[in-house]
Amino acid sequence: MDSTTTAEEIGGRRGRGDRGGAAARRAARSGGGPGGQLTYIRRQVPNYEVLSEEGLALIEANADTVLEEVGIEFRDDPEALALWKEAGADLRGQRVHFPKGLPRALLKTAPSVFTQHARNPARSVQIGGDATVFAPVYGPPFVRDLDGNRRYARLEDFRNFVKLAYMAPSMHHSGGTVCEPVDVPVNKRHLDMLLAHMTLSDKPFMGSVTAPERAEDTVAMARLLFGEDFVDRNAVTVSLINANSPMVFDDTMLGAAKVYARANQACIVAPFILAGAMSPVTVAGALTQVLAEVLAGAAFVQLVRPGAPVLFGTFASSMSMQSGAPTMGTPEPSLVAYGAAQLSRRLGLPFRTGGSLCAAKIPDAQAAYESANTLNATLLCGANFVLHAAGWLEGGLSACYEKFIMDVDQLGMAQKFAAGVDLSENGLALDAIREVGPGSHYLGCAHTQANFQTAFYRSLVADNNSFEQWQAEGEKTAAQRANQIARRWLESYEPPPLDPGIAESLTDFVARKKASMPDAFT
């Protein structure tokens, strides 16, 4: 879809919809491709925990001390300060000091599990409990394109990543700012991004948080897509509210949080931790600060509207103490993720962390190792919402087409692992053991024949052929194979169907909003 695409084209094209059958079976055993989609993960493996009861209690007590003695700043938002004063907090200028237990008491109204609805009900996701939802990379100003160039992202790239996320069976969510389209004015680009999510995909999506009025535009467009009453009763967006760590919430984030909470839409309250710069260097110190910031921010959401969905979020990275650069895939951020997940469960809030994070500049071995380390911890800690699950490169500065495909393949593997061990009669396979007996093989037995199509995960990207066949096919690297897959998906993309009347109302809204203000690039 380009800038001249009409509402009739958006609404009238017939997409693949929720194709089942053979396509769904193929998706279930591989990273998949255009066609069958996987539902969000329902984890059947236990959560891995690194902190004892004593350790959790220590961190919780220290976080309460930070909230009471140090406080959290709510900057340039008199309404936020007034809400806290009315709730019983101690205000000293813009710094709020919290009596012990106040944030926890406020969070009793927050749901532990909720549904984020998609315009295609088959794509709706559970957030919380035993569910894990994968969403794409968020926020890079650059892309590494299919021709190997690192350049500023454009709206065309944004739309391409939305299409890829829609087509990837193991991606459950369309995400938010999958890249920053710098060829569109700052004050208008959120409109194009939202329109892309709503028309090029039928998966759930995230809202804009870069200004309160842009959050209001998100809610207004969501009401056009879903209906006003439905939006008031149900979460149809989830949006990222970052703390300005250490221990500050600014007026931009607070303004967006108020808009979404009042509209009953979900907020992820997420400290952004670069340990050593934005938090203490130690895991326990970082966890103490993370918990304090989340308690303050999530409780604020409940002050605005009790019962509004809110997630315990964290983004944790270590840093090179020599250069100051972020480092990914290291042990310490994984320990933070494991500990924060435990703290989140004790609060009864859904948890967001992790993804496929790396500091590599190209999709190479460094990117693979660092991403695998991060993703494994993300899955095993019990994360409910996973931002940056695919496409992240260069410490989040770049979104990469090839790595998006490579990551999607790994997400499919993670989903297969999360299903756990099949202990059904078929899974136990006793009939096969009886049939084969000692000294034979299982290749031709009835059980193998019945299960061979779905028995093992089939990688979308990996080459498992002989050396000679690999050589005859051009000696392609994994990144080169991913490049071919991305091109093929984009060439075969068809949008999901959307009612033409809704499509027209959305395009009209975007056109009117753009016409109402001059371009601004800052």
Side-chain angles (χ1 to χ4, degrees), residues 62 331 339 369 434 463:
N62 286 348
Y369 277 119
R434 287 193 180 107
D463 184 291

Side-chain angles (χ1 to χ4, degrees), residues 27-336:
R29 66 177 184 267
S30 72
Q37 294 283 335
L38 300 173
T39 62
Y40 61 87
I41 294 173
R42 298 171 178 88
R43 294 188 309 279
Q44 300 299 313
V45 293
N47 298 322
Y48 185 77
E49 299 188 338
V50 299
L51 287 169
S52 65
E53 174 66 30
E54 181 183 16
L56 291 165
L58 274 170
I59 289 169
E60 289 171 335
N62 286 348
D64 286 343
T65 298
V66 170
L67 288 169
E68 186 175 40
E69 296 181 7
V70 181
I72 306 289
E73 288 196 6
F74 285 71
R75 287 186 181 168
D76 303 321
D77 192 325
E79 182 185 19
L81 295 173
L83 286 169
W84 277 122
K85 184 175 182 180
E86 184 179 352
D90 176 21
L91 271 59
R92 305 174 196 174
Q94 297 191 98
R95 190 173 298 192
V96 181
H97 296 257
F98 304 85
K100 278 189 171 62
L102 175 60
R104 292 176 186 277
L106 291 169
L107 284 172
K108 290 179 179 178
T109 57
S112 59
V113 178
F114 67 94
T115 297
Q116 185 187 355
H117 294 269
R119 69 172 175 91
N120 177 353
R123 306 280 186 264
S124 296
V125 295
Q126 176 184 309
I127 298 180
D130 64 356
T132 294
V133 175
F134 290 140
V137 62
Y138 185 108
F142 299 100
V143 297
R144 187 170 184 84
D145 66 22
L146 289 169
D147 296 318
N149 302 307
R150 181 189 186 269
R151 55 171 173 76
Y152 280 110
R154 300 191 283 259
L155 184 58
E156 179 186 9
D157 298 302
F158 185 94
R159 290 169 172 162
N160 282 343
F161 279 113
V162 171
K163 292 174 184 178
L164 292 174
Y166 164 65
M167 299 176 83
S170 56
M171 187 64 67
H172 314 116
H173 203 280
S174 192
T177 308
V178 289
C179 61
E180 193 73 43
V182 300
D183 56 334
V184 181
V186 170
N187 61 329
K188 298 180 180 180
R189 65 181 60 156
H190 68 288
L191 297 164
D192 287 312
M193 291 191 283
L194 288 165
L195 187 64
H197 281 303
M198 293 179 180
T199 61
L200 302 182
S201 175
D202 61 2
K203 294 181 179 181
F205 58 90
M206 300 179 73
S208 176
V209 296
T210 51
E213 58 269 22
R214 296 168 199 167
E216 290 170 354
D217 287 342
T218 303
V219 173
M221 292 179 70
R223 286 170 175 157
L224 292 174
L225 184 63
F226 291 94
E228 188 166 349
D229 290 342
F230 188 88
V231 170
D232 189 61
R233 298 192 308 271
N234 300 280
V236 300
T237 65
V238 59
S239 300
L240 183 61
I241 306 299
N242 277 127
N244 190 356
S245 303
M247 296 173 286
V248 172
F249 287 94
D250 63 34
D251 58 328
T252 299
M253 291 291 99
L254 292 170
K258 287 186 291 187
V259 170
Y260 287 121
R262 285 177 177 138
N264 198 33
Q265 299 306 299
C267 293
I268 305 169
V269 176
F272 187 91
I273 299 299
L274 179 58
M278 285 94 152
S279 81
V281 296
T282 61
V283 170
L287 281 170
T288 297
Q289 183 182 308
V290 164
L291 179 57
E293 291 175 357
V294 171
L295 281 168
F300 176 72
V301 169
Q302 298 306 295
L303 276 182
V304 175
R305 178 166 172 167
V310 62
L311 286 76
F312 184 128
T314 186
F315 178 94
S317 170
S318 51
M319 66 180 289
S320 167
M321 301 307 286
Q322 288 71 45
S323 69
T327 52
M328 311 285 172
T330 53
E332 296 82 8
S334 292
L335 290 169
V336 171

Side-chain angles (χ1 to χ4, degrees), residues 264-504:
N264 198 33
Q265 299 306 299
C267 293
I268 305 169
V269 176
F272 187 91
I273 299 299
L274 179 58
M278 285 94 152
S279 81
V281 296
T282 61
V283 170
L287 281 170
T288 297
Q289 183 182 308
V290 164
L291 179 57
E293 291 175 357
V294 171
L295 281 168
F300 176 72
V301 169
Q302 298 306 295
L303 276 182
V304 175
R305 178 166 172 167
V310 62
L311 286 76
F312 184 128
T314 186
F315 178 94
S317 170
S318 51
M319 66 180 289
S320 167
M321 301 307 286
Q322 288 71 45
S323 69
T327 52
M328 311 285 172
T330 53
E332 296 82 8
S334 292
L335 290 169
V336 171
Y338 285 121
Q342 290 181 259
L343 293 165
S344 178
R345 285 190 287 273
R346 286 162 70 91
L347 278 176
L349 295 179
F351 181 58
R352 170 257 163 161
T353 196
S356 298
L357 309 182
C358 68
K361 313 307 180 284
I362 59 173
D364 60 5
Q366 179 185 346
Y369 277 119
E370 292 176 353
S371 294
N373 286 344
T374 309
L375 183 61
N376 285 338
T378 299
L379 184 69
L380 293 176
C381 79
N384 301 118
F385 188 81
V386 183
L387 205 51
H388 316 305
W392 171 288
L393 202 64
E394 199 187 337
L397 288 175
S398 289
C400 176
Y401 285 86
E402 294 159 345
K403 188 165 182 291
F404 189 97
I405 298 296
M406 296 165 74
D407 288 340
V408 161
D409 189 38
Q410 295 301 304
L411 299 182
M413 292 190 189
Q415 183 141 1
K416 186 70 179 284
F417 177 82
V421 178
D422 177 10
L423 294 176
S424 67
E425 183 177 350
N426 181 70
L428 291 169
L430 192 57
D431 286 349
I433 298 171
R434 287 193 180 107
E435 178 185 343
V436 172
S440 186
H441 63 76
Y442 288 85
L443 292 174
C445 81
H447 185 270
T448 301
Q449 292 298 308
N451 288 275
F452 80 94
Q453 287 189 318
T454 58
F456 305 116
Y457 181 87
R458 186 180 300 173
S459 174
L460 174 70
V461 176
D463 184 291
N464 296 304
N465 297 316
S466 67
F467 175 83
E468 290 76 14
Q469 186 171 347
W470 170 77
Q471 192 173 48
E473 292 175 355
E475 301 182 350
K476 292 184 176 65
T477 65
Q480 288 171 328
R481 293 191 292 273
N483 185 294
Q484 291 180 320
I485 293 166
R487 290 179 186 274
R488 188 165 64 246
W489 284 17
L490 291 172
E491 288 170 1
S492 65
Y493 167 82
E494 295 177 27
L498 176 63
D499 179 271
I502 294 175
E504 183 177 5

